[in-house]
């Protein structure tokens, strides 16, 4: 294992993690924090923040960068929307991020479960904002409409990596399809803030990063997240490099100069890490 | 009173972690919430916080040792 750079150090408090894990366990909820083995879990759980992973913990795809378990997922849990709302209330969340494993087995890709969960949060947690971090739902516009009509404040879908690395890194997904998802959602409801993210450290060039930014801006994307790829196990897609904090600062400037409304760019920035800051950051610009 | 601090299970499938650095020496006072030692996992280096306040009486492992989750890592003298 290559020695980790100084900036990849995180704090971990066992009691804080156990407390949040117990609450989530009692409500039979999954988080992407745990399933993705997120490096920020310790910090976020300590701050009573978590990103819910609805629709189970098993994914019908097998992307080479991702730690979520591939397998045959169970049918959606009808109690899950209410349980997520209950957990959001207990944790005192002001901004709830919902994500899912990709559910190619479901005709609607899980859209209805997203919509039900957004509505349950609206009903139980007044004033709380919601972000849906969705799969591409195979660019099924009827399914995307169901999510859009639930009107989350932020609709997030990650392109994950530059165009040239898509086949190698996420073979069952498609760069153009992801762009189409972002474009469709923005055109269908221009009041939605759209958001995407990508990883660096997979072997991409700076020029390809610039092209990615141009591509997602061209489909109306408002918010961009950029973080370091961290190899979950030696069997996952190989790490090409650790980008430095200075590199991330340069990417951030590049993205802001191009016209994104908010950019989170740091080694441990993740799609949902401090997601409320992005929402507030955009609103400050109004 | 002596208190043993155990290695946390940093991920569900973790069978052991490399204790890569001690951040406190034997005899040092430690506050609950202060980082005590570092464990390297696949993605990052985790700075494990002390769960109690006291004086670090004994480091039970050396830097570079593989430690199983649940195993005692340090003995703390607490009041």
């Amino acid at each position: 294992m290559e020695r980790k750079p100084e900036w990849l150090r995180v704090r971990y408090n066992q009691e804080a993690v156990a407390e949040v894990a117990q609450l989530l366990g009692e409500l039979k909820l999954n988080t992407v924090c745990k399933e993705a083995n997120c490096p920020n879990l310790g910090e976020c759980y300590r701050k009573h923040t978590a990103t819910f992973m609805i629709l189970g913990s098993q994914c019908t795809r097998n992307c080479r960068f991702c730690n979520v378990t591939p397998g045959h997922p169970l049918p959606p849990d009808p109690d899950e929307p209410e349980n997520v709302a209950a957990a959001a209330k207990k944790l005192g969340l002001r901004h709830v991020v919902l994500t899912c494993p990709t559910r190619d087995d479901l005709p609607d890709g899980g859209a209805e479960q997203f919509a039900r969960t957004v509505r349950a949060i609206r009903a139980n947690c007044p004033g709380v904002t919601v972000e849906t971090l969705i799969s591409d739902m195979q660019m099924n516009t009827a399914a995307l409409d169901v999510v859009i009509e639930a009107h989350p404040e932020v609709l997030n879908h990650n392109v994950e990596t530059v165009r040239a690395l898509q086949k190698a890194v996420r073979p069952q997904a498609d760069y153009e399809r992801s762009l189409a998802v972002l474009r469709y959602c923005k055109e269908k409801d221009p009041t939605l803030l759209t958001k995407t993210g990508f990883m660096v450290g997979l072997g991409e060039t700076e020029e390809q990063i610039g092209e990615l930014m141009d591509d997602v801006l061209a489909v109306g994307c408002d918010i961009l997240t950029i973080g370091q790829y961290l190899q979950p196990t030696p069997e996952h897609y190989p790490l090409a490099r650790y980008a430095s904090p200075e590199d991330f600062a340069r990417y951030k400037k590049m993205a802001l100069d191009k016209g994104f409304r908010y950019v989170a760019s740091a080694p441990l920035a993740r799609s949902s890490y401090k997601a409320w800051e992005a929402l507030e950051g955009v609103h400050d610009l109004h | 009173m002596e208190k043993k601090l155990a290695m946390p299970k940093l991920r569900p499938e973790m069978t052991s972690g490399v204790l890569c650095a001690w951040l406190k020496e034997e005899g040092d006072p430690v506050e609950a919430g202060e980082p005590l030692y570092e464990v390297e996992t696949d993605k990052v280096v985790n700075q494990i916080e002390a769960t109690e306040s006291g004086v670090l009486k004994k480091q039970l492992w050396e830097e570079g040792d593989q430690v199983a989750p649940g195993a005692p890592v340090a003995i703390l003298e607490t009041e």
Side-chain angles (χ1 to χ4, degrees):
Chain A
M1 201 188 298
E2 190 183 338
R3 184 103 183 108
K4 304 283 187 303
E6 195 55 42
W7 56 83
L8 291 182
R9 280 171 163 68
V10 295
R11 297 282 281 266
Y12 191 92
N13 185 289
Q14 299 173 59
E15 289 172 341
V17 170
E19 185 192 337
V20 174
Q22 188 185 340
L23 171 94
L24 297 167
E26 283 167 5
L27 290 167
K28 293 182 290 171
L29 295 175
N30 297 304
T31 63
V32 73
C33 326
K34 176 166 169 269
E35 299 304 325
N37 184 25
C38 179
N40 300 319
L41 183 147
E43 180 190 342
C44 291
Y45 277 22
R46 168 172 238 164
K47 291 178 178 164
H48 274 206
T49 301
T51 293
F52 300 105
M53 193 156 93
I54 61 172
L55 291 155
S57 60
Q58 301 219 335
C59 187
T60 51
R61 296 190 191 169
N62 192 9
C63 296
R64 293 208 52 219
F65 68 90
C66 180
N67 195 55
V68 174
T69 317
H72 300 286
L74 299 168
D77 172 3
D79 297 330
E80 189 170 60
E82 291 296 328
N83 286 341
V84 168
K89 199 166 189 171
K90 279 191 179 172
L91 291 167
L93 301 181
R94 52 181 165 155
H95 181 69
V96 179
V97 186
L98 306 173
T99 189
C100 65
T102 298
R103 293 294 305 256
D104 289 333
D105 59 314
L106 298 174
D108 74 345
E112 185 56 37
Q113 190 81 339
F114 266 103
R116 287 185 60 215
T117 309
V118 173
R119 289 195 292 266
I121 293 164
R122 296 270 186 255
N124 292 287
C125 312
V128 168
T129 50
V130 185
E131 175 167 338
T132 52
L133 170 53
I134 61 172
S135 70
D136 62 28
M137 296 190 174
Q138 303 190 65
M139 193 43 205
N140 171 350
T141 55
L144 293 171
D145 286 346
V146 170
V147 180
I148 295 164
E149 278 155 23
H151 201 73
E153 275 75 13
V154 182
L155 189 135
N156 189 344
H157 172 65
N158 284 330
V159 294
E160 308 290 6
T161 183
V162 298
R163 186 191 294 270
L165 293 173
Q166 293 281 323
K167 278 274 171 291
V169 172
R170 54 196 292 252
Q172 293 143 291
D174 182 87
Y175 189 71
E176 290 299 334
R177 186 164 59 190
S178 287
L179 292 175
V181 167
L182 291 163
R183 182 192 296 113
Y184 179 80
C185 294
K186 192 69 178 179
E187 285 178 358
K188 182 84 182 182
D189 183 353
T191 68
L192 274 181
L193 286 173
T194 53
K195 175 173 172 179
T196 195
F198 69 96
M199 300 167 281
V200 296
L202 291 156
E204 66 291 320
T205 66
E206 196 123 341
E207 189 183 353
Q208 291 168 334
I209 288 174
E211 286 167 7
L212 182 157
M213 291 177 184
D214 292 338
D215 290 340
V216 291
L217 258 184
V219 296
C221 189
D222 301 291
I223 302 168
L224 182 65
T225 60
I226 312 169
Q228 171 70 49
Y229 169 60
L230 297 169
Q231 197 180 7
T233 71
E235 285 71 47
H236 282 81
Y237 196 84
L239 172 75
R241 67 174 173 130
Y242 288 118
S244 69
E246 293 73 28
D247 291 330
F248 283 99
R250 195 171 64 255
Y251 305 145
K252 179 170 185 162
K253 184 174 184 314
M254 193 196 302
L256 288 171
D257 287 348
K258 283 178 184 287
F260 285 95
R261 296 175 71 183
Y262 187 91
V263 180
S265 176
L268 293 174
R270 294 293 179 264
S271 215
S272 50
Y273 179 64
K274 296 185 179 174
W276 70 90
E277 287 187 2
L279 185 58
E280 287 177 354
V282 169
H283 284 159
D284 284 346
L285 294 176
H286 283 169
Chain B
M1 189 178 124
E2 282 189 2
K3 185 93 183 177
K4 282 183 181 163
L5 303 184
M7 169 71 85
K9 201 174 178 72
L10 293 162
R11 46 186 297 183
E13 62 272 36
M14 174 176 163
T15 53
S16 71
V18 178
L19 193 159
C20 49
W22 281 102
L23 303 175
K24 297 282 181 187
E25 299 300 326
E26 290 180 0
D28 283 354
V30 180
E31 290 285 324
E34 263 192 300
L36 186 60
Y37 59 95
E38 292 185 337
V39 179
E40 186 158 0
T41 48
D42 280 307
K43 288 191 171 184
V44 285
V45 174
N46 303 269
Q47 298 190 320
I48 311 298
E49 297 178 3
T51 47
E52 308 253 348
S53 298
V55 172
L56 178 58
K57 188 168 183 186
K58 185 81 186 154
Q59 299 173 340
L60 297 170
W61 303 89
E62 291 186 6
E63 292 179 355
D65 283 348
Q66 296 259 1
V67 186
V73 175
I75 297 174
L76 216 61
E77 186 71 45
T78 60
E79 286 181 7

